[in-house]
Amino acid sequence: MDLRQLEIAVAVAEEGGFTAAALRLHTVQSTVSTVIRALERDLGTALFERTTHRVALTPAGTAFLPAARAALEAAEQARATVDGARWKVSGCVRVGVVPGCWAEPHRALAKLRREHPGVRAEVRMAHPDELRAAVRESTVDVMMGVSVAGDSTDGLVRRSLRREEMVLVTAPSSEGGAVTVAEAAGLAVVDFAPGWAVRAVADRAFREAGVARVVSCEVSEVEAAAELVRHDFGGCLLPESVAGRFPELRVRRFAGGGPRWDVAAWWAGGEISPAVAAVLRVLE
């Protein structure tokens, strides 16, 4: 049992459902369901009663909830004991971001301002090749992008931040079910401009599958891609958590496991400053 499991259990109880809890925690419903099942398995009892229309606490869940809240409060108090040291961290950190790999930067930046008010982040978006060169030249302190096979990252330290599956989203009226990369290539494809993180992952997936696809529409905004898919102008590969922002679209998983969305941070080797360490923590 860990704090993440407790946090998710409390969210499900307070929000009254798995989907609402996922929205609150900025994750996907399948992750919430998987964590709750694992927690119930560890405890040897069901915490929630699932019906078609609602999720309710079992007697065991009702007894568990106050203890879970108390544990989370204790953990928050433990974090608060080091706030004095955090406030002493200061400096400016230059963060380079590959377009499309940071869905909600305001949340991380707000957390940085709240926990480390002396640290200021300067964020700029650029092509991954440009950012890697900037990190090596020390004009960018840390870059955020996606890991793609074949990228040259010699001399840079890498830390994985988030991993999840890519899915194919299609129009609400389209057929469902699992799909192969080759089948996805047979659709008209809505994709992002070269240099975008999603485009790099999609290019690799189709290249490794040995199939070519025709990009029917090329965009530079996730919302624009979703709108084109909604009106049946093509399918689009998206990280599962991003696809979850558009519940009206049909989500199709890849048979046998599809491409992976692996967001990571890179920085030059050697000891990092406390300010850079603070930024890395809020990016995770």
Side-chain angles (χ1 to χ4, degrees), residues 8 59 215 265 280:
I8 289 176
V215 177
L280 288 171

Side-chain angles (χ1 to χ4, degrees), residues 71-102:
L72 292 173
E73 291 173 2
E76 189 60 33
Q77 290 175 359
R79 294 189 188 99
T81 61
V82 298
D83 277 351
R86 287 177 172 176
W87 278 66
K88 295 177 183 178
V89 178
S90 63
C92 177
V93 179
R94 299 159 298 179
V95 183
V97 180
V98 175
C101 75
W102 201 3

Side-chain angles (χ1 to χ4, degrees), residues 189-245:
V189 175
V190 176
D191 212 335
F192 297 87
W196 266 65
V198 177
R199 178 64 177 263
V201 175
D203 284 346
R204 179 185 62 184
F206 288 112
R207 183 173 61 250
E208 291 180 348
V211 294
R213 92 281 200 193
V214 176
V215 177
S216 62
C217 300
E218 192 174 274
V219 298
S220 57
E221 294 180 353
V222 174
E223 289 74 15
E227 197 65 23
L228 288 165
V229 172
R230 182 181 297 111
H231 288 86
D232 205 16
F233 284 99
C236 182
L237 269 69
L238 289 175
E240 185 178 8
S241 61
V242 176
R245 293 162 50 189

Side-chain angles (χ1 to χ4, degrees), residues 87-232:
W87 278 66
K88 295 177 183 178
V89 178
S90 63
C92 177
V93 179
R94 299 159 298 179
V95 183
V97 180
V98 175
C101 75
W102 201 3
E104 297 180 306
H106 63 285
R107 297 188 184 279
L109 293 176
K111 182 178 180 182
L112 178 68
R113 183 169 57 189
R114 183 172 63 252
E115 296 187 354
H116 303 282
V119 177
R120 181 168 58 91
E122 293 182 353
V123 181
R124 70 179 175 105
M125 292 191 178
H127 190 281
D129 291 340
E130 178 183 341
L131 291 179
R132 281 190 288 269
V135 172
R136 293 189 177 98
E137 295 166 2
S138 298
T139 56
V140 164
D141 298 304
V142 60
M143 70 168 280
M144 184 178 179
V146 291
S147 292
V148 178
D151 282 349
S152 175
T153 56
D154 293 344
L156 302 184
V157 179
R158 174 187 175 280
R159 177 186 296 179
S160 182
L161 301 176
R162 290 188 301 278
R163 289 180 178 175
E164 59 182 291
E165 289 185 16
M166 297 285 288
V167 296
L168 178 72
V169 292
T170 55
S173 59
S174 63
E175 295 181 359
V179 65
T180 66
V181 175
E183 289 169 340
L187 302 172
V189 175
V190 176
D191 212 335
F192 297 87
W196 266 65
V198 177
R199 178 64 177 263
V201 175
D203 284 346
R204 179 185 62 184
F206 288 112
R207 183 173 61 250
E208 291 180 348
V211 294
R213 92 281 200 193
V214 176
V215 177
S216 62
C217 300
E218 192 174 274
V219 298
S220 57
E221 294 180 353
V222 174
E223 289 74 15
E227 197 65 23
L228 288 165
V229 172
R230 182 181 297 111
H231 288 86
D232 205 16

